[in-house]
Amino acid sequence: MKVEKRSIDFIPESERYGKPVSLFYIWFGANMNITTIASGVLPVMLGLNLFWSAMAIILGSLIGAIFMASHSAQGPKLGILQMIQSRAQFGVIGAVLPLLFVMLIYLGFFVSNTLLAAQAIDSVSPLGSTGNIYLIGALCFVVALYGYWLIHRLQKVLSILSILVFLVVTVLALGLPVPDGQWTAAGFSLSKFLAAVSIAVTWQLSYAPYVADYSRYLPSDTPMSRVFWYSYAGTVAGGAWMMVLGAILSVVIAGFSDNVGSHVAELFGVGAVLLFVFIVYGQVAINVFNLYGAFMSTVTVIEPFSRLRVTPRVRGLFMLVITVIATALCTVSQQDFIAFFLNFIFFMSYFLIPWTAINLVDYYCLRKGNYSVPDIFDLNGRYGRFNLVACGSFVLAIVLEIPFMNTTLYVGPVANALDGIDLAWVVGLVVPAMTYYGLMKRKPLVSGESKLSP
């Protein structure tokens, strides 16, 4: 087993391998963890019963995964990272703008995953909560260091184990008494339902900045439809299942949100110790995605200003620094996890949705997948240093979202007037898509964008 030698560079055809079915295992397994279960707690906390929570989760997953899988489908053809491909829209330096927000998202998920795992093993570990955080951070660093190959192997094994474990958890959860009225259509609230839908949509969209990173190694002639549907099926099946399970457990187990992992493990009685090991394994596996993505994003930010040669040693150093920073953030974010997590989910949506709108409109509507990869790495190439249309559309969307926001930290005037309905995600999708498409259609796209090797 060797450290992955590629970083942000193009993957040549001679190094391509695999089949698109592997993407099902990756994205099914990526959702098989207690962080996804914790996200399913949020619709219930908003005030929905189980019926409407499940409907919102399923609907949001089906919608959000469309965008996620559409990004995944770009990987085999272009053979480059998702966020470095954004240089074709924002410019080589302009792409740093969305990248900065994406890096915050990686760190936020690292904090969430690590805190849940540390919380879960607190009752069986002699290290204490802070010691558990350090232990999990170290495990994540070692696994992330070995990159793409090991991540694939981990996710396939995790998917198989997760099916067995969470089938048992689901059966045990369904056997617990459910309060009356939880599975009825009574008590519908449009504002709460839309907020819950946006949580599920955002959960799926959270994979969008790096989903193509895991499909870029597939041969370039891999059918786009197969990449899309395997990614879509894996993330919808895994995500919706775990989130609905989380909603059920939050209703049938008192204080479930206080320690999600521990409550899940305790369902197994004397077998709880094995479940603690499995939970840590799952959290480390998903945190590898975040460290891997944060590393790639950091190199992407630095690369236009310095021709950094990413050797295994450089890779290890970057990973270590990112791990230390992320682990330090965990130690100061241990209190009131659910409130932190809820605000973090909404925070992600306000920045991810405008970026995804611009990227997908450019790829599927304007350039139709026709890019010059060498120019994506060239400061003086055809995509330029900045594309003010993309950067302006992105910033405009975020500004216009503010009056529509509804979080525990801030409620915008429009959301307040609409009885709490948060339509910021609609603004974040429609505004940049229309402004970017309309303004870019007036600019002649450079022809001949079909060269696919640096």
Side-chain angles (χ1 to χ4, degrees), residues 107 110 134 137-142 144-145 291-292 294-295 298 312-328:
L107 292 176
F110 186 98
Y134 293 152
L139 289 173
C140 293
F141 166 72
V142 172
L145 186 61
L291 281 178
Y292 187 77
F295 161 71
T298 303
R313 180 172 293 183
V314 170
R315 181 194 189 91
L317 180 61
F318 271 89
M319 288 277 195
L320 181 60
V321 171
I322 295 167
T323 302
V324 169
I325 293 173
T327 303

Side-chain angles (χ1 to χ4, degrees), residues 300-356:
T300 303
V301 168
I302 295 173
E303 193 266 346
F305 308 100
S306 172
R307 289 294 178 182
L308 181 67
R309 184 168 175 264
V310 184
T311 64
R313 180 172 293 183
V314 170
R315 181 194 189 91
L317 180 61
F318 271 89
M319 288 277 195
L320 181 60
V321 171
I322 295 167
T323 302
V324 169
I325 293 173
T327 303
L329 289 173
C330 292
T331 62
V332 297
S333 306
Q334 298 182 49
Q335 304 301 318
D336 203 6
F337 167 77
I338 289 296
F340 160 80
F341 193 48
L342 180 62
N343 285 312
F344 171 61
I345 292 287
F346 283 119
F347 167 84
M348 280 198 300
S349 70
Y350 300 142
F351 300 103
L352 276 179
I353 291 176
W355 166 79
T356 203

Side-chain angles (χ1 to χ4, degrees), residues 120-338:
I121 64 173
D122 192 51
S123 61
V124 296
S125 170
L127 299 177
S129 58
T130 301
N132 292 333
I133 288 171
Y134 293 152
L135 172 64
I136 293 165
L139 289 173
C140 293
F141 166 72
V142 172
V143 177
L145 186 61
Y146 286 92
Y148 182 89
W149 182 90
L150 187 56
I151 292 169
H152 268 265
R153 294 299 186 271
L154 276 174
Q155 289 307 126
K156 188 170 183 177
V157 173
L158 180 62
S159 294
I160 295 169
L161 286 176
S162 297
I163 291 174
L164 300 175
V165 170
F166 287 115
L167 272 174
V168 175
V169 173
T170 302
V171 171
L172 293 172
L174 293 176
L176 297 174
V178 179
D180 293 338
Q182 286 293 327
W183 287 114
T184 68
F188 176 75
S189 167
L190 181 61
S191 61
K192 294 174 182 177
F193 181 79
L194 290 178
V197 169
S198 70
I199 288 171
V201 168
T202 304
W203 180 263
Q204 297 296 342
L205 267 176
S206 67
Y207 298 120
Y210 57 94
V211 61
D213 302 3
Y214 299 90
S215 60
R216 66 186 174 130
Y217 278 85
L218 293 173
S220 59
D221 60 356
T222 302
M224 183 181 293
S225 60
R226 297 187 70 194
V227 176
F228 177 94
W229 286 114
Y230 277 120
S231 301
Y232 186 89
T235 195
V236 169
W241 178 11
M242 289 300 97
M243 291 181 73
V244 171
L245 177 59
I248 293 172
L249 290 171
S250 70
V251 169
V252 300
I253 298 177
F256 178 75
S257 63
D258 296 335
N259 194 328
V260 173
S262 181
H263 282 298
V264 169
E266 288 168 1
L267 288 171
F268 286 78
V270 294
V273 174
L274 293 176
L275 258 293
F276 285 122
V277 174
F278 174 78
I279 286 169
V280 171
Y281 172 42
Q283 295 306 94
V284 168
I286 189 59
N287 252 0
V288 167
F289 281 85
N290 296 306
L291 281 178
Y292 187 77
F295 161 71
M296 294 297 188
S297 296
T298 303
V299 175
T300 303
V301 168
I302 295 173
E303 193 266 346
F305 308 100
S306 172
R307 289 294 178 182
L308 181 67
R309 184 168 175 264
V310 184
T311 64
R313 180 172 293 183
V314 170
R315 181 194 189 91
L317 180 61
F318 271 89
M319 288 277 195
L320 181 60
V321 171
I322 295 167
T323 302
V324 169
I325 293 173
T327 303
L329 289 173
C330 292
T331 62
V332 297
S333 306
Q334 298 182 49
Q335 304 301 318
D336 203 6
F337 167 77
I338 289 296

Side-chain angles (χ1 to χ4, degrees), residues 2 5 24 57 77 79 122 124 130 143-144 153-154 255 359 362 377 383 390 406 409 420 453:
K2 299 183 295 184
K5 68 178 181 179
F24 178 88
I57 288 168
K77 182 172 184 179
D122 192 51
V124 296
T130 301
V143 177
R153 294 299 186 271
L154 276 174
N359 181 273
D362 187 79
F377 292 86
Y383 303 113
N406 183 6
L409 299 176
S453 60

Side-chain angles (χ1 to χ4, degrees), residues 8-178:
I8 67 170
D9 45 331
F10 172 82
I11 308 301
E13 199 67 38
S14 60
E15 296 180 22
R16 304 290 187 95
Y17 65 95
K19 297 180 180 180
V21 67
S22 67
L23 298 172
F24 178 88
Y25 294 113
I26 287 179
W27 300 113
F28 183 85
N31 285 284
M32 291 285 107
N33 56 73
I34 57 173
T35 308
T36 320
I37 290 177
S39 67
V41 174
L42 302 180
V44 175
M45 291 194 64
L46 291 174
L48 295 176
N49 67 8
L50 281 180
F51 176 81
W52 289 115
S53 293
M55 291 299 101
I57 288 168
I58 293 169
L59 178 61
S61 297
L62 291 171
I63 295 172
I66 294 173
F67 301 102
M68 177 271 197
S70 296
H71 287 290
S72 183
Q74 300 175 16
K77 182 172 184 179
L78 296 181
I80 56 176
L81 298 173
Q82 181 67 72
M83 289 310 298
I84 207 165
Q85 188 261 351
S86 292
R87 291 177 175 181
Q89 296 94 50
F90 290 82
V92 176
I93 296 178
V96 172
L97 177 62
L99 263 171
L100 293 175
F101 292 109
V102 168
M103 290 171 70
L104 291 176
I105 289 169
Y106 287 135
L107 292 176
F109 264 121
F110 186 98
V111 171
S112 302
N113 296 328
T114 303
L115 287 179
L116 281 171
Q119 216 177 46
I121 64 173
D122 192 51
S123 61
V124 296
S125 170
L127 299 177
S129 58
T130 301
N132 292 333
I133 288 171
Y134 293 152
L135 172 64
I136 293 165
L139 289 173
C140 293
F141 166 72
V142 172
V143 177
L145 186 61
Y146 286 92
Y148 182 89
W149 182 90
L150 187 56
I151 292 169
H152 268 265
R153 294 299 186 271
L154 276 174
Q155 289 307 126
K156 188 170 183 177
V157 173
L158 180 62
S159 294
I160 295 169
L161 286 176
S162 297
I163 291 174
L164 300 175
V165 170
F166 287 115
L167 272 174
V168 175
V169 173
T170 302
V171 171
L172 293 172
L174 293 176
L176 297 174
V178 179

